[in-house]
Amino acid sequence: MIWAVEDDGIDMNRNYQKELDNLLGAEGKKGKRLLLHSCCAPCSSYVLIYLRQYFRITVFYYNSNITEQTEYEKRREEQKRLIAVLNTEAAQQGILEEDGSSLSAWREESVFPIEIQEAPYEPEVFLNLAAGLETCPEGGLRCERCFQLRLEETAKLAKELSYDYFTTTLTISPLKNARLLNEIGQQLAEQYEVPFLPSDFKKKEGYKQSVELSRKYDLYRQNYCGCVFSKAEKDSGKKPI
């Protein structure tokens, strides 16, 4: 496992969102398969609407960092509800491409159904990697290890199931380090030989749109990241994510 990303040789001014825009322009609408790690429905809302124009998306719900099983299940079910709503809306608009096996009749406005794959809930895995880092501030090494854990599980599955790309919704949060997430993703891409889709989804008003979409679909929008440590920070009176 890679527990630290070295800064040596890293371009601190890289625009990951521009890199994604360039890649999407080059790829065109070809229906390639994307395994998208999602932390929750609100964060995924804008990302799904944005990326489904280009990819056949499977949401990978792997979040063993969430502190309680009831909270985990609540977020999981909200993720499933959002996906069902988006698919229903696309079907009603007549733009849902039901046959993903052939792109010969692909229409410019078409989108593929969004699918979901849930991983086991294994909170002990997160707690083991967080051992000794209980007092680490939010955004520090404990969070880096959490990013690594979730992205590595995504990369493994993407490799196993022959996805064209993998990525995560985590870069949509203004409090998440997009550079770190992209560097971890790129290292895992090299390790597992599956391309990582670069992103900084908070840009181009992505975060703002996710908040608006959460209101539109009445999504459960939690006020802490998920782990017992972020919950403690929330309970201490700090601002929500």
Side-chain angles (χ1 to χ4, degrees), residues 4-185:
V5 175
E6 298 293 337
D7 285 340
D8 293 345
I10 292 176
D11 182 356
M12 303 293 286
N13 297 313
R14 282 180 67 178
N15 187 328
Y16 292 103
Q17 187 58 41
K18 185 176 181 180
E19 290 182 23
L20 174 58
D21 290 340
N22 290 339
L23 186 151
L24 294 179
E27 286 288 332
K29 298 182 67 170
K30 298 179 181 178
K32 290 192 173 182
R33 299 172 69 230
L34 170 67
L35 188 63
L36 174 67
H37 166 262
S38 177
C39 54
C40 62
C43 287
S44 73
S45 57
Y46 163 76
V47 178
L48 288 171
I49 291 172
Y50 172 40
L51 292 182
R52 75 181 306 182
Q53 303 170 71
Y54 304 94
F55 298 102
R56 295 159 59 186
I57 300 174
T58 298
V59 168
F60 183 46
Y61 191 78
Y62 177 69
N63 296 293
S64 291
N65 59 305
I66 296 176
T67 182
E68 298 170 354
Q69 185 160 356
T70 53
E71 178 71 16
Y72 171 89
E73 292 174 352
K74 187 172 185 178
R75 297 189 193 193
R76 178 196 62 198
E77 293 309 306
E78 198 70 339
Q79 181 72 78
K80 290 180 178 179
R81 182 174 73 86
L82 174 63
I83 290 172
V85 168
L86 294 178
N87 285 339
T88 298
E89 284 185 348
Q92 291 173 342
Q93 294 165 13
I95 61 173
L96 195 68
E97 181 64 57
E98 296 287 1
D99 181 11
S101 62
S102 172
L103 299 176
S104 59
W106 180 254
R107 295 169 297 156
E108 184 65 23
E109 70 275 14
S110 294
V111 296
F112 286 110
I114 300 166
E115 300 179 349
I116 184 168
Q117 180 154 344
E118 182 188 356
Y121 176 52
E122 302 170 323
E124 67 281 357
V125 175
F126 168 75
L127 292 174
N128 287 338
L129 70 84
L133 300 172
E134 292 83 357
T135 60
C136 189
E138 193 76 7
L141 181 56
R142 186 184 65 243
C143 291
E144 182 176 334
R145 290 189 174 186
C146 182
F147 297 160
Q148 170 74 30
L149 172 67
R150 291 188 280 173
L151 279 171
E152 184 156 11
E153 288 302 311
T154 309
K156 285 179 183 177
L157 186 63
K159 175 69 172 180
E160 178 185 342
L161 300 181
S162 301
Y163 278 83
D164 297 297
Y165 293 95
F166 75 99
T167 196
T168 179
T169 63
L170 287 167
T171 65
I172 201 167
S173 170
L175 300 182
K176 297 292 188 296
N177 186 329
R179 180 188 64 80
L180 176 61
L181 285 160
N182 278 277
E183 290 300 327
I184 292 173

